[in-house]
């Protein structure tokens, strides 16, 4: 089997599982387990359909890093329920999901799926670093458009996009990013900075939407080229557009660093190979599955990961 690394944007997937699987699924003690069961079924489907040989659960050790907030204070601000001075801010998360996150970490550990995070960085940065440093083909599984910047046909890095649901997964390559947005993957971060993204609290440049951002990048290649054109009276650019870009100078000075994923994190050694469980871990999984009422999700994920 050809080696292939699959990187999970874990929070994106367990939120999807939580909202996609009925909350009526509970353990004997009444704890909701819909996100746990749903995530395991998502993993089963992905591993079965795309046949990775390595699997990593990438984690948000800090979902809203202070260094990004310092650059753009509105970054994800609408999702904060409590500001914490000495640790990551607390994100708005339904209580029935909060109690399942430790269970998700526990079951991933039992299954031998490494959880990889980095202090002061988001899962996106972990994914960006692992995808960039990998020496095998990579599939990134996410519902976050920002990770489209990682798509790279030359290195066989794809994004499996989950936003339309698990029954309508999209596999994004260079051509499909161009078809969707009329920009190349390597232009996507500049495109996102120009367009903005309300879901992340990024204001974008006033008056510039997706079509205009794509047109500017087609004409001037990147954000530096666009800003240089706006500053050069000899370049054919409308006075209105020139003013929009110039007026947004302070934002455009910092937006690229916020939008671009980090690619050079040193994440240490870990074993991401998919392999059957040994007797000890199989017994631990069986106990976990019974205690937390995993139902059919248990045999499905075992089979997908190569267990009898």
């Amino acid at each position: 089997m050809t080696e292939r690394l699959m990187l999970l944007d874990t929070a994106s997937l367990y939120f999807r599982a939580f909202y996609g699987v009925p909350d009526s699924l509970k353990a004997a003690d009444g704890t909701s387990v819909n996100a746990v069961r749903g995530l395991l079924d998502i993993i089963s489907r992905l591993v079965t359909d795309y046949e990775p040989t390595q699997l990593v659960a990438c984690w948000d050790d800090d979902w809203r890093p202070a260094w990004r907030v310092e650059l753009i204070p509105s970054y994800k601000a609408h999702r904060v329920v409590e500001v914490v001075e000495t640790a990551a801010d607390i994100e708005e998360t339904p209580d029935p999901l909060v109690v399942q996150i430790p269970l998700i970490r526990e079951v991933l550990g039992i299954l031998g799926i490494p959880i990889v995070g980095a202090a002061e960085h988001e899962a996106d940065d972990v994914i960006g670093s692992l995808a960039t440093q990998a020496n095998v083909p990579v599939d990134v599984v996410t519902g976050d458009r920002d990770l489209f910047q990682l798509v790279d046909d030359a290195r066989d890095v794809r994004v499996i996009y989950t936003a339309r649901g698990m029954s309508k997964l999209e596999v994004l390559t260079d051509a499909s990013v161009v078809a969707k947005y009329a920009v190349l993957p390597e232009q996507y971060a500049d495109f996102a900075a120009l367009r903005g993204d309300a879901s992340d609290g990024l204001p974008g440049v006033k008056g510039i939407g997706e079509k205009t951002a794509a047109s500017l990048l087609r004409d001037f290649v990147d954000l530096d080229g666009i800003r240089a054109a706006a500053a050069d009276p000899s370049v054919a650019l409308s006075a209105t557009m020139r003013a929009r870009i110039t007026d947004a100078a302070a934002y455009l000075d910092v937006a690229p660093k916020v939008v671009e994923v980090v690619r050079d994190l040193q994440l240490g050694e870990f074993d991401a190979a998919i392999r059957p469980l040994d007797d000890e871990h199989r017994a631990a999984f069986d106990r976990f599955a019974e205690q937390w009422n995993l139902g059919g999700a248990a045999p499905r994920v075992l089979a997908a990961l190569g267990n009898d």
Side-chain angles (χ1 to χ4, degrees):
M1 182 181 293
T2 303
E3 289 288 309
R4 180 170 288 276
L5 169 63
M6 178 172 281
L7 303 174
L8 306 179
D9 183 358
T10 315
S12 170
L13 297 180
Y14 66 60
F15 268 96
R16 172 164 293 281
F18 176 78
Y19 287 111
V21 177
D23 188 36
S24 57
L25 295 175
K26 299 182 184 296
D29 68 355
T31 301
S32 296
V33 292
N34 57 331
V36 182
R37 288 175 62 157
L39 178 62
L40 293 181
D41 273 336
I42 287 172
I43 291 172
S44 300
R45 164 81 185 277
L46 291 167
V47 172
T48 300
D49 288 357
Y50 297 100
E51 299 184 329
T53 57
Q54 302 173 50
L55 183 62
V56 179
C58 301
W59 205 265
D60 284 314
D61 278 12
D62 190 339
W63 67 280
R64 188 175 182 250
W67 57 271
R68 282 191 166 109
V69 176
E70 287 172 6
L71 296 172
I72 298 181
S74 62
Y75 183 65
K76 297 185 178 180
H78 59 295
R79 287 153 56 181
V80 176
V81 294
E82 183 180 344
V83 175
V84 180
E85 294 296 334
T86 58
D89 292 337
I90 297 176
E91 183 179 13
E92 183 178 9
T93 306
D95 290 342
L97 175 55
V98 170
V99 298
Q100 294 182 70
I101 294 174
L103 300 178
I104 288 169
R105 292 186 65 98
E106 182 177 354
V107 75
L108 291 175
I110 294 170
L111 289 170
I113 300 171
I115 296 171
V116 181
E120 300 179 354
H121 287 85
E122 302 173 52
D124 285 8
D125 302 314
V126 174
I127 291 169
S129 296
L130 292 176
T132 300
Q133 297 167 31
N135 56 10
V136 298
V138 177
D139 283 337
V140 173
V141 185
T142 186
D144 186 348
R145 294 183 299 175
D146 285 345
L147 290 172
F148 293 176
Q149 64 190 275
L150 297 175
V151 171
D152 186 344
D153 283 2
R155 299 189 58 252
D156 200 0
V157 177
R158 311 182 300 185
V159 166
I160 300 172
Y161 189 47
T162 65
R164 298 175 61 201
M166 292 303 295
S167 63
K168 297 180 179 179
L169 295 174
E170 296 180 76
V171 179
L172 297 184
T173 61
D174 287 3
S176 49
V177 173
V178 172
K180 285 175 81 71
Y181 298 108
V183 297
L184 295 166
E186 56 264 36
Q187 295 175 304
Y188 191 86
D190 285 349
F191 170 77
L194 287 164
R195 175 203 63 201
D197 189 339
S199 67
D200 280 343
L202 294 174
V205 177
K206 186 178 180 179
I208 294 183
E210 288 193 354
K211 290 184 178 179
T212 302
S215 176
L216 288 167
L217 288 165
R218 182 188 63 237
D219 292 341
F220 303 112
V221 181
D222 58 20
L223 194 52
D224 288 342
I226 293 168
R227 299 185 72 182
D232 185 348
S234 69
V235 174
L237 198 65
S238 73
T240 298
M241 186 57 63
R242 199 181 300 277
R244 285 173 177 166
I245 295 166
T246 302
D247 290 347
Y251 166 75
L252 292 174
D253 284 344
V254 298
K257 187 173 181 181
V258 173
V259 175
E260 291 170 4
V261 299
V262 177
R263 296 174 182 247
D264 60 357
L265 294 175
Q266 299 304 306
L267 297 165
E269 298 293 326
F270 53 87
D271 184 359
I274 296 174
R275 60 171 62 90
L277 300 182
D278 59 27
D279 291 344
E280 179 183 353
H281 285 86
R282 177 59 184 268
F285 180 80
D286 289 345
R287 289 192 298 271
F288 185 97
E290 181 176 1
Q291 179 180 359
W292 298 108
N293 186 28
L294 295 189
R300 286 191 289 269
V301 76
L302 286 174
L305 297 176
N307 300 273
D308 294 334

